[in-house]
Coordinates of all heavy atoms in Angstrom, one line a residue:
I1 N 6.9 -8.7 14.1 CA 6.0 -8.6 13.0 C 5.2 -7.2 13.0 O 5.1 -6.6 11.9 CB 5.0 -9.8 13.0 CG1 5.7 -11.1 12.7 CG2 3.8 -9.6 12.1 CD1 4.9 -12.3 13.0
I2 N 4.8 -6.8 14.1 CA 4.1 -5.5 14.3 C 5.1 -4.4 13.8 O 4.6 -3.4 13.1 CB 3.7 -5.3 15.7 CG1 2.5 -6.2 16.0 CG2 3.2 -3.8 15.9 CD1 2.1 -6.2 17.5
A3 N 6.3 -4.5 14.2 CA 7.3 -3.4 13.8 C 7.5 -3.4 12.3 O 7.5 -2.3 11.6 CB 8.6 -3.7 14.5
Y4 N 7.5 -4.6 11.6 CA 7.7 -4.6 10.2 C 6.5 -4.1 9.5 O 6.6 -3.4 8.5 CB 8.0 -6.1 9.7 CG 9.4 -6.5 9.9 CD1 9.7 -7.8 10.4 CD2 10.5 -5.7 9.7 CE1 11.0 -8.2 10.6 CE2 11.8 -6.1 9.9 CZ 12.0 -7.4 10.3 OH 13.3 -7.8 10.5
V5 N 5.3 -4.5 10.0 CA 4.0 -4.0 9.3 C 3.9 -2.5 9.4 O 3.6 -1.8 8.5 CB 2.8 -4.7 10.0 CG1 1.5 -4.0 9.5 CG2 2.8 -6.2 9.7
A6 N 4.3 -1.9 10.6 CA 4.2 -0.5 10.8 C 5.2 0.2 9.9 O 5.0 1.3 9.4 CB 4.5 -0.2 12.3
Q7 N 6.4 -0.4 9.7 CA 7.5 0.2 8.9 C 7.1 0.3 7.4 O 7.3 1.3 6.7 CB 8.8 -0.5 9.1 CG 9.9 0.0 8.3 CD 10.4 1.4 8.6 OE1 10.0 1.9 9.7 NE2 11.1 2.1 7.7
Y8 N 6.6 -0.8 6.9 CA 6.4 -0.9 5.4 C 5.0 -0.7 5.0 O 4.7 -0.7 3.8 CB 6.9 -2.3 5.0 CG 8.4 -2.5 5.3 CD1 8.8 -3.5 6.1 CD2 9.3 -1.7 4.7 CE1 10.1 -3.7 6.4 CE2 10.7 -1.9 4.9 CZ 11.1 -2.9 5.8 OH 12.4 -3.1 6.1
L9 N 4.0 -0.5 5.9 CA 2.6 -0.3 5.5 C 2.4 0.9 4.7 O 1.6 0.9 3.7 CB 1.7 -0.4 6.7 CG 0.2 -0.4 6.4 CD1 -0.2 -1.6 5.6 CD2 -0.5 -0.4 7.8
P10 N 3.0 2.1 5.1 CA 2.7 3.3 4.4 C 3.0 3.2 2.9 O 2.1 3.6 2.0 CB 3.6 4.4 5.1 CG 3.7 3.9 6.5 CD 3.8 2.4 6.3
F11 N 4.1 2.7 2.5 CA 4.5 2.6 1.1 C 3.6 1.7 0.4 O 3.1 1.9 -0.7 CB 5.9 2.2 0.9 CG 6.3 1.9 -0.5 CD1 6.4 2.9 -1.4 CD2 6.5 0.6 -0.9 CE1 6.8 2.6 -2.7 CE2 6.8 0.3 -2.2 CZ 7.0 1.3 -3.2
T12 N 3.2 0.5 1.0 CA 2.4 -0.4 0.4 C 1.0 0.1 0.2 O 0.4 -0.1 -0.8 CB 2.3 -1.7 1.3 OG1 3.6 -2.1 1.6 CG2 1.7 -2.9 0.5
V13 N 0.5 0.9 1.2 CA -0.8 1.5 1.1 C -0.8 2.5 -0.1 O -1.8 2.6 -0.9 CB -1.3 2.2 2.4 CG1 -2.5 3.0 2.1 CG2 -1.6 1.1 3.4
Y14 N 0.2 3.3 -0.1 CA 0.3 4.3 -1.2 C 0.3 3.6 -2.6 O -0.3 4.1 -3.5 CB 1.6 5.1 -1.0 CG 2.0 5.9 -2.2 CD1 1.3 7.1 -2.6 CD2 3.1 5.5 -3.1 CE1 1.7 7.8 -3.7 CE2 3.4 6.2 -4.2 CZ 2.7 7.3 -4.5 OH 3.1 8.0 -5.6
F15 N 1.1 2.6 -2.7 CA 1.2 1.9 -4.0 C -0.2 1.3 -4.4 O -0.6 1.4 -5.5 CB 2.2 0.8 -3.9 CG 2.6 0.1 -5.2 CD1 3.6 0.6 -6.0 CD2 1.9 -1.0 -5.7 CE1 3.9 0.1 -7.3 CE2 2.2 -1.5 -6.9 CZ 3.2 -1.0 -7.7
M16 N -0.8 0.6 -3.4 CA -2.1 0.0 -3.7 C -3.2 1.0 -4.0 O -4.1 0.8 -4.9 CB -2.6 -0.9 -2.6 CG -1.7 -2.1 -2.4 SD -1.4 -3.1 -3.8 CE -3.0 -3.5 -4.3
T17 N -3.1 2.2 -3.4 CA -4.1 3.2 -3.7 C -3.9 3.8 -5.1 O -4.9 4.0 -5.8 CB -3.9 4.4 -2.6 OG1 -4.1 3.9 -1.3 CG2 -4.9 5.5 -2.9
S18 N -2.6 3.9 -5.4 CA -2.3 4.4 -6.8 C -2.8 3.4 -7.8 O -3.4 3.8 -8.9 CB -0.8 4.7 -6.9 OG -0.4 5.7 -6.0
Y19 N -2.6 2.2 -7.6 CA -3.0 1.1 -8.5 C -4.6 1.1 -8.6 O -5.1 1.0 -9.7 CB -2.5 -0.2 -8.1 CG -2.7 -1.3 -9.2 CD1 -1.8 -1.5 -10.2 CD2 -3.9 -2.1 -9.2 CE1 -2.0 -2.5 -11.2 CE2 -4.1 -3.1 -10.1 CZ -3.1 -3.3 -11.1 OH -3.4 -4.2 -12.1
Y20 N -5.2 1.0 -7.5 CA -6.7 0.9 -7.5 C -7.4 2.1 -8.1 O -8.5 2.1 -8.5 CB -7.2 0.7 -6.1 CG -7.0 -0.7 -5.6 CD1 -6.9 -1.0 -4.2 CD2 -6.9 -1.8 -6.4 CE1 -6.7 -2.3 -3.7 CE2 -6.7 -3.1 -6.0 CZ -6.6 -3.3 -4.6 OH -6.5 -4.6 -4.2
S21 N -6.7 3.3 -8.1 CA -7.3 4.5 -8.6 C -7.5 4.3 -10.1 O -8.4 5.1 -10.7 CB -6.4 5.7 -8.4 OG -6.3 6.0 -7.0
G22 N -6.8 3.4 -10.8 CA -7.0 3.2 -12.2 C -8.1 2.2 -12.5 O -8.4 2.0 -13.7
I23 N -8.7 1.6 -11.5 CA -9.8 0.7 -11.7 C -11.1 1.6 -11.8 O -11.4 2.3 -10.9 CB -9.9 -0.3 -10.6 CG1 -8.7 -1.2 -10.6 CG2 -11.2 -1.2 -10.8 CD1 -8.6 -2.2 -9.5
P24 N -11.9 1.4 -12.9 CA -13.1 2.2 -13.0 C -14.1 2.1 -11.9 O -14.3 0.9 -11.4 CB -13.7 1.7 -14.3 CG -12.6 1.1 -15.1 CD -11.7 0.5 -14.0
R25 N -14.6 3.2 -11.4 CA -15.6 3.1 -10.3 C -16.9 2.4 -10.8 O -17.6 1.9 -9.9 CB -16.0 4.5 -9.9 CG -14.8 5.2 -9.2 CD -15.3 6.6 -8.7 NE -14.2 7.3 -8.0 CZ -14.1 7.2 -6.7 NH1 -14.9 6.6 -6.0 NH2 -13.1 7.9 -6.1

């Protein structure tokens, strides 16, 4: 589980950051 989280976390963080950037502050 740790290996999977480490492997796929960067892309997931990037995607969520991009999405949340469109939410008004």
